[in-house]
Amino acid sequence: MSEQPTLEINALSAGYGRFDVVRDVALSVGKGEAVALLGPNGAGKTTVLRAIMGLVKQRRGLIRIGGTDVSALPTHRIARGLAAIAPEGRRLFLDQSVEDNLLLGALHLRHDKIRTQTLLASVYDLFPVLKAYRQRLSSFLSGGEQQMVAIGRMLMSDPEIMLLDEPSVALSPVAVDIVVKAMLELRKRGASLLLVEQRTDVATRVCDRLYVMTHGEIVDEMKPETIRSGGMSILNKYLG
Ligand code: ATP
């Protein structure tokens, strides 16, 4: 029997108000796998991530993380080591220090100081610049450094699945490269990633598989090799 996926979504429909924004979504992320969700603006990619975190009510379907059905769990339970998100726009507390922002990711571990310190050390190992700036107010960081804090905060909850929402957006080419290398390093450490991206080059560098989403539905699944060997034109049609 094959190993159970870290994240398994089946027949998911979710949305806002009376409308379903995503319909009948099925996807999986295996243990140690990195999977991208590509699609144009408004396709529903962020809504899938928000549904996984319990931030958008799912109307139908099933979401399992590490075999646990999280469909009916509140966000604070899901955030306790099951899933964590580095959201679009990073959502840091800009008037707080780098370290305080990072520690917010490990709130549920506050009674376990040793584990918190170990996680903090692993974040500083991944992003040494954050260690140097740990007492600095987050508002003084560059966009790329703020993205590192958002990724670090996600790591601090030591989740089974890490969700990254467009980590490359509005960054300089150098900063994009740093973020890509960080995601590759997370992969080396065995992390399971679901990456929402609009940049195909970033997704193909980091991921094993790519789902394409348009108008709230998953319309295709591709491998980076397929895209490199001529599949780009198919992808461009989807992405407009
Ligand atoms: P983007 O790259 O622009 O973030 P996306 O693929 O992540 O796009 P979503 O953010 O999931 O798309 O949005 C999908 C649809 O849901 C859009 O039409 C959007 O306007 C709508 N939507 C998103 N958030 C809300 C909300 N809080 N209330 C109502 N509609 C929303």
Side-chain angles (χ1 to χ4, degrees), residues 4 8 44 53 69 96 116-117 127 139 154 160 164 181 183 191 196 221 223 237-238:
Q4 188 176 50
E8 191 183 3
M53 292 304 302
D69 181 357
Q96 305 283 320
T116 302
Q117 286 308 315
F127 298 121
S139 55
M154 180 181 70
E160 297 211 25
L164 297 108
K181 284 187 180 134
M183 289 190 279
V196 159
E221 185 186 335
K223 293 250 183 206
K237 268 189 209 143
Y238 292 130

Side-chain angles (χ1 to χ4, degrees), residues 33-108:
E33 197 183 22
V35 170
L37 198 51
L38 283 176
N41 271 332
K45 306 175 301 293
T46 298
T47 302
V48 172
L49 299 190
R50 290 172 55 82
I52 296 167
M53 292 304 302
L55 291 163
V56 176
K57 189 104 186 88
Q58 70 185 78
R59 295 197 231 273
R60 281 177 297 283
L62 183 75
I63 304 178
R64 277 206 193 96
I65 300 172
T68 303
D69 181 357
V70 300
S71 309
L73 287 185
T75 301
H76 70 271
R77 292 276 308 280
I78 297 168
R80 228 180 267 166
L82 288 171
I85 188 166
E88 192 176 359
R90 308 181 278 265
R91 306 276 181 95
L92 303 183
F93 289 94
L94 294 175
D95 58 345
Q96 305 283 320
S97 71
V98 165
E99 190 152 298
D100 283 346
N101 270 281
L102 292 173
L103 290 172
L104 283 174
L107 268 186
H108 63 294

